[in-house]
Amino acid sequence: MQIKIGDLVAVEGRYGHCLGIVKEYLEGAIWDWTVIECSTGNYIPCSSNEITLINTPEQADAWERKIKMKKIL
């Protein structure tokens, strides 16, 4: 998985679950990436293993449904 700035990603991390856009790579930091959450615009620090790259609209829809279900449960 090759993550790049500007990629649409799903984040499953300690700060929650969301869809977001990769903003920057943090070399030498505790976290690897900063992601901007699509729904709120909040910045989320996360590591590479908390990120899933979204390649198709169907994947984005599936992740959105998964995130909504986790909020309900």
Side-chain angles (χ1 to χ4, degrees):
M1 169 176 70
Q2 181 68 11
I3 300 169
K4 300 181 303 281
I5 294 172
D7 283 345
L8 176 64
V9 295
V11 177
E12 288 188 286
R14 57 186 103 162
Y15 295 110
H17 309 290
C18 68
L19 290 176
I21 305 294
V22 177
K23 180 185 182 306
E24 64 184 339
Y25 178 68
L26 306 168
E27 190 171 338
I30 296 171
W31 296 284
D32 300 323
W33 299 96
T34 300
V35 173
I36 302 171
E37 186 176 357
C38 289
S39 61
T40 65
N42 292 337
Y43 288 19
I44 302 168
C46 51
S47 64
S48 295
N49 62 352
E50 296 173 322
I51 293 176
T52 302
L53 190 60
I54 303 294
N55 294 317
T56 66
E58 292 81 17
Q59 284 179 312
D61 289 343
W63 274 100
E64 192 67 33
R65 284 191 301 277
K66 183 177 178 179
I67 290 166
K68 287 179 183 175
M69 286 301 292
K70 286 186 180 198
K71 288 180 182 178
I72 291 170
L73 300 175

